[in-house]
Amino acid sequence: MRKRAVAVLGTAAVLSGMITASPSAAGTGAPAVRAAPAPRAVNWTDCSTDTYPTLQCATVKAPLDHDRPGGRQISLALSRVPHTAKKSQGPLLVNPGGPGGSGRSLAGFVARSLPKDVASQYDVIGFDPRGVGASKPALDCKPGYFDPVRPDSLPAGGAAERANLARVKDFAESCGTKHGPLLRYMDSVSAAEDMDVIRRALGAERINYLGYSYGTYLGAVYAKLHPERVRRAVLDSVVDPSGVWYENNLGQNTAFESRQQAFTAWVAKHDTTYGLGQDPAEVEAQWTRTRQALARKPAGGKVGPAELEDTFLPGGYYNGYWPDLAEAFAAYANDGKTEPLVEAYKKFGAVDAAGDNGYSVYTAVQCRDAGWPRNWNQWRHDMWRSHAKAPFITWNNAWYNAPCAFWPTRSLEPTDVTNAKLPPVLLFQATEDAATPYEGAVSLHHRLRGSSLVVEEGGANHGVTLAGNDCLDRHLADYLATGKVPRSTGAADATCEALPDPEPAKAARTGSSDGADRAPSRGAQGAALHGLLGHRS
């Protein structure tokens, strides 16, 4: 959930109304029409950096309640890399997912990563969704909620379960106490209507869109509410709209178990580097012993079992993290060194103030968007059944989402994103993605008539475009340039081969060929993208 944000400067463009849809109408997708005056133009100011020298920033105002456009207003923080071509194709809004991800710094990355002749045709617009980052008010339900050392995520005894239940109940109660008036309006429909506020403030008849992860669902919701306002849309690593959100989180458990098994197999393959065993089962046994040792004595007073899981979970999102994770694992398991493990936790697992904000928005949106079981006995039953098949992350994932069992607002009905009114939409999906499994992309592909699905065969990372795969990026660039999508009679409209797994970091430093080669530029591109998408969503 952690993001690298750019500083935001700017003045507000006040919007007093728009075409809106009530969150209560989310299940039908039927917007309630409200008359609205024309918004003021966005006042962009310079917020350039050495990396993004043309970056500009601004804020716009949006109604907290889109059914009452003249009521309380919130501010939305924007960033922009303006087009340079003589003819513009309009705004390209970008979103990194979450929910709770800050999108302002994604604009510069996307503009720099697209081919210059394509990027130059768009105003690439990043935005912090309501409650996130520099948008105001920003949510922070309980600062330091993830501070170490937390109770063991595995409730093997009653004490551990009671401790974790007390934590999640306290978080939900704190969120209601601090942000109660806001929580009724923290949902995907309201966030999608904010996107239309941005569109109107930009003076655009239609928008283009690129969304990753949860951003695919946000984009699909926007398209349902305002199909006539969608010009082009790219959805990368697709949320299954039929499982929002409890079922999707259960599905993640099994998928992340497969990614952990892929990691242990990779470590075993490179036993000459890591010395953790030539058989994946040996590596897995080392993992279990490490977890047990940390339960007795957390590494550096920082890394217990829950923090260990937090640290290694990002490797299920992006295999480029494997070398760093394997080195820290080996240093502790083989030599008893705690410093590398603590450093890996700080890099991949620790949650800072931005992460506190992101998690607060994550829970607020997911808990509000759709129904969650309110009976903890159902959670307990479902999680133990999931744990039997997927012990790596099931209970950690359960506690991450468990505030929804005690959330202080009622839940809405999920939006039916089925849509036959859109221009061709382009979907990208890796077959082994754990955070948003492949079946979700197929599901949305069927729901969006005329959409096209590009599949990375054997790919396992979450977020695949602009991450170093030239084949995928060609499809993306061609679509943004021309609007044309690939067509096929098969399950996928186009396929690309996955990038190879990384080689051990030690081998890379010495020039050894102990692993498959990966061009530095590809690795740097993938790491940059996944740093912006965050380590958990």
Side-chain angles (χ1 to χ4, degrees):
M1 304 296 296
R2 294 179 294 162
K3 305 293 176 200
R4 295 177 177 87
V6 293
V8 171
L9 304 172
T11 58
V14 179
L15 308 177
S16 58
M18 58 177 290
I19 299 175
T20 66
S22 167
S24 62
T28 65
V33 177
R34 297 283 187 273
R40 299 176 185 174
V42 178
N43 183 11
W44 295 102
T45 61
D46 177 78
C47 60
S48 59
T49 66
D50 290 342
T51 305
Y52 307 125
T54 63
L55 194 68
Q56 301 171 335
C57 293
T59 60
V60 300
K61 293 290 185 180
L64 174 64
D65 179 357
H66 285 284
D67 278 344
R68 296 173 178 82
R72 179 180 174 182
Q73 302 290 294
I74 62 174
S75 69
L76 305 172
L78 312 182
S79 64
R80 176 178 77 164
V81 177
H83 74 278
T84 56
K86 291 183 178 179
K87 185 176 181 181
S88 170
Q89 296 212 47
L92 172 64
L93 274 64
V94 296
N95 180 274
S102 168
R104 288 172 298 142
S105 50
L106 187 61
F109 173 84
V110 169
R112 188 180 65 175
S113 301
L114 287 169
K116 289 183 179 180
D117 62 330
V118 176
S120 67
Q121 299 175 47
Y122 287 93
D123 292 321
V124 183
I125 309 291
F127 63 100
D128 284 355
R130 58 173 52 203
V132 176
S135 292
K136 302 299 179 185
L139 270 63
D140 192 349
C141 296
K142 194 170 182 63
Y145 179 69
F146 287 98
D147 285 354
V149 173
R150 307 198 310 276
D152 192 333
S153 58
L154 182 62
E161 182 173 1
R162 288 192 296 272
N164 278 299
L165 275 172
R167 288 185 72 253
V168 299
K169 288 178 180 178
D170 183 54
F171 182 88
E173 182 179 348
S174 295
C175 216
T177 300
K178 290 184 69 173
H179 302 299
L182 301 176
L183 295 185
R184 289 180 55 225
Y185 308 104
M186 293 299 300
D187 58 86
S188 294
V189 168
S190 294
E193 293 293 6
D194 290 343
M195 288 172 55
D196 210 57
V197 169
I198 295 170
R199 176 194 65 78
R200 297 181 66 242
L202 296 173
E205 287 295 320
R206 295 184 295 168
I207 63 168
N208 309 280
Y209 181 77
L210 167 59
Y212 293 90
S213 189
Y214 164 77
T216 66
Y217 182 69
L218 179 62
V221 171
Y222 179 83
K224 180 69 173 186
L225 300 175
H226 300 285
E228 74 286 357
R229 299 303 184 185
V230 178
R231 183 174 179 270
R232 290 172 193 165
V234 180
L235 308 180
D236 183 329
S237 302
V238 180
V239 166
D240 186 346
S242 68
V244 175
W245 290 110
Y246 184 71
E247 292 299 326
N248 280 353
N249 277 283
L250 284 173
Q252 283 184 337
N253 297 336
T254 303
F256 274 110
E257 187 71 22
S258 296
R259 294 312 301 147
Q260 176 70 355
Q261 291 171 359
F263 170 67
T264 56
W266 180 86
V267 172
K269 176 182 176 182
H270 298 292
D271 182 58
T272 55
T273 299
Y274 301 115
L276 289 167
Q278 297 180 356
D279 187 318
E282 295 179 65
V283 180
E284 188 62 37
Q286 289 275 26
W287 170 267
T288 300
R289 287 192 288 271
T290 294
R291 194 184 188 285
Q292 292 169 344
L294 294 173
R296 294 189 295 269
K297 184 180 180 180
K302 296 281 188 182
V303 184
E307 290 76 26
L308 179 72
E309 293 161 351
D310 294 347
T311 302
F312 280 75
L313 179 62
Y317 284 86
Y318 175 53
N319 62 10
Y321 298 143
W322 286 1
D324 285 347
L325 294 172
E327 283 194 9
F329 181 14
Y332 181 85
N334 294 332
D335 304 318
K337 295 180 180 179
T338 60
E339 294 86 352
L341 193 57
V342 172
E343 288 303 311
Y345 163 70
K346 291 178 180 178
K347 183 176 182 179
F348 299 114
V351 176
D352 58 12
D356 284 337
N357 165 242
Y359 178 69
S360 297
V361 175
Y362 172 92
T363 49
V365 172
Q366 292 224 339
C367 299
R368 177 67 168 155
D369 260 1
W372 294 74
R374 294 285 182 154
N375 184 335
W376 182 249
N377 287 330
Q378 181 177 342
W379 286 71
R380 183 188 291 115
H381 174 267
D382 290 343
M383 297 312 151
W384 279 120
R385 185 172 60 179
S386 176
H387 177 82
K389 300 179 293 183
F392 168 56
I393 205 64
T394 288
W395 275 105
N396 187 295
N397 200 23
W399 298 122
Y400 196 80
N401 292 281
C404 292
F406 311 100
W407 204 243
T409 63
R410 70 175 183 85
S411 297
L412 303 172
E413 291 296 319
T415 301
D416 178 4
V417 298
T418 304
N419 208 321
K421 300 179 180 180
L422 297 173
V425 172
L426 187 59
L427 283 61
F428 288 91
Q429 185 67 40
T431 56
E432 312 306 315
D433 181 1
T436 53
Y438 173 76
E439 293 76 14
V442 175
S443 175
L444 186 60
H445 181 33
H446 290 158
R447 284 171 166 79
L448 302 183
R449 191 172 72 182
S451 64
S452 180
L453 175 60
V454 179
V455 172
E456 186 183 38
E457 288 285 354
N461 291 332
H462 180 66
V464 294
T465 59
L466 305 182
N469 188 317
D470 293 338
C471 174
L472 297 172
D473 290 350
R474 280 195 298 272
H475 285 292
L476 173 65
D478 289 347
Y479 174 71
L480 290 178
T482 68
K484 296 179 180 178
V485 297
R487 293 295 186 197
S488 170
T489 57
D493 295 286
T495 59
C496 294
E497 291 185 8
L499 296 177
D501 285 337
E503 60 178 306
K506 290 180 180 177
R509 288 195 291 268
T510 61
S512 165
S513 59
D514 188 29
D517 290 333
R518 172 175 287 185
S521 59
R522 286 182 172 181
Q525 185 78 1
L529 173 66
H530 287 88
L532 293 167
L533 300 186
H535 294 152
R536 186 165 190 164
S537 58

